[in-house]
Amino acid sequence: KAGVTQTPRYLIKTRGQQVTLSCSPISGHRSVSWYQQTPGQGLQFLFEYFSETQRNKGNFPGRFSGRQFSNSRSEMNVSTLELGDSALYLCASRTGLAGRGSYEQYFGPGTRLTVT
Amino acid sequence: AQKITQTQPGMFVQEKEAVTLDCTYDTSDQSYGLFWYKQPSSGEMIFLIYQGSYDEQNATEGRYSLNFQKARKSANLVISASQLGDSAMYFCATHGNTDKLIFGTGTRLQVFP
């Protein structure tokens, strides 16, 4: 079974631009979560989607948004990029259904965003 | 609110030896889970092991075991027979009633020959 895939793997943007990152979950997984990892703040939860609905949201400004499609693929968008948005963005998927193993989250390789 | 504390910024272990990475947690949720992830320099977070708060037996996955002591709120990871490829950052994390994972600051493990 293929793992979680994220595209692109690396991205360089300039301040003020916007960016869209993509995540394809493991086949059959319906829940997708996004995390930001920086040296200063560590790993922080951005948001979680299940069946195209946002179920949870972290403490990030409105410039960070996301969505999920009917095939469970998810995108996150960051508008008006700031230097502080430079980070590794990780997405994780899980089944989202009840049962043994339902809480196990599997991460993709991440997208490394650099804002200059 | 949930919190994970990893007090060991770095650990060294000799190849083939066992090592314990410490993790303590704080949560007000009745039901919760604890994770350990490995992050090599490539950046990918690799799932290692999961323990649910109601699981009575400690979780094990191959060379990894989670020493769960509920009363002490600790969830230490034990790696037996360390290998050079185990060198990486290790993160402890918890979830409560939602999918949101709260991570600790991590422990950098270095395995030497």
Side-chain angles (χ1 to χ4, degrees):
Chain A
K1 190 182 265 191
V4 179
T5 59
Q6 290 187 245
T7 56
R9 293 291 312 278
Y10 302 90
L11 206 50
I12 300 175
K13 292 284 189 179
T14 56
R15 276 180 298 175
Q17 287 186 313
Q18 75 165 19
V19 66
T20 299
L21 312 181
S22 180
C23 170
S24 293
I26 292 170
S27 178
H29 285 195
R30 293 165 60 183
S31 168
V32 173
S33 298
W34 288 89
Y35 293 83
Q36 181 197 64
Q37 185 177 25
T38 59
Q41 299 298 316
L43 283 145
Q44 293 185 287
F45 172 78
L46 280 156
F47 27 65
E48 183 245 341
Y49 287 88
F50 177 80
S51 291
E52 303 178 66
T53 301
Q54 186 182 88
R55 290 204 297 195
N56 291 291
K57 190 175 189 307
N59 191 23
F60 278 82
R63 299 184 298 106
F64 291 82
S65 63
R67 60 178 175 168
Q68 187 179 33
F69 301 95
S70 58
N71 62 357
S72 295
R73 190 177 69 87
S74 176
E75 289 182 346
M76 68 162 279
N77 184 277
V78 187
S79 63
T80 318
L81 284 165
E82 300 177 0
L83 295 178
D85 297 334
S86 294
L88 179 66
Y89 290 88
L90 293 157
C91 114
S93 79
R94 73 176 187 95
T95 65
L97 305 172
R100 186 171 182 81
S102 63
Y103 279 104
E104 294 173 9
Q105 293 196 33
Y106 297 90
F107 283 79
T111 294
R112 193 167 294 278
L113 172 65
T114 302
V115 182
T116 61
Chain B
Q2 297 152 308
K3 185 178 178 182
I4 294 286
T5 303
Q6 293 180 256
T7 57
Q8 307 155 313
M11 289 283 285
F12 287 90
V13 65
Q14 190 167 30
E15 201 177 3
K16 299 179 186 176
E17 295 294 310
V19 63
T20 298
L21 305 184
D22 294 342
C23 171
T24 58
Y25 62 92
D26 191 15
T27 181
S28 54
D29 291 327
Q30 295 288 344
S31 176
Y32 54 90
L34 295 147
F35 295 80
W36 277 94
Y37 286 91
K38 171 185 177 182
Q39 188 177 43
S41 56
S42 60
E44 183 173 1
M45 297 285 282
I46 301 169
F47 168 79
L48 295 178
I49 200 166
Y50 173 80
Q51 176 92 35
S53 57
Y54 291 111
D55 294 337
E56 294 186 354
Q57 287 193 319
N58 287 341
T60 59
E61 292 284 348
R63 294 185 299 110
Y64 304 106
S65 61
L66 197 153
N67 185 0
F68 182 45
Q69 296 187 43
K70 200 169 183 177
R72 297 180 62 185
K73 294 191 173 182
S74 76
N76 298 339
L77 177 70
V78 180
I79 305 175
S80 63
S82 297
Q83 301 171 357
L84 296 178
D86 293 335
S87 295
M89 282 290 287
Y90 287 81
F91 290 94
C92 180
T94 185
H95 75 81
N97 296 324
T98 70
D99 277 1
K100 173 181 175 180
L101 290 182
I102 303 297
F103 286 87
T105 52
T107 296
R108 182 169 297 281
L109 176 67
Q110 295 189 54
V111 182
F112 58 94

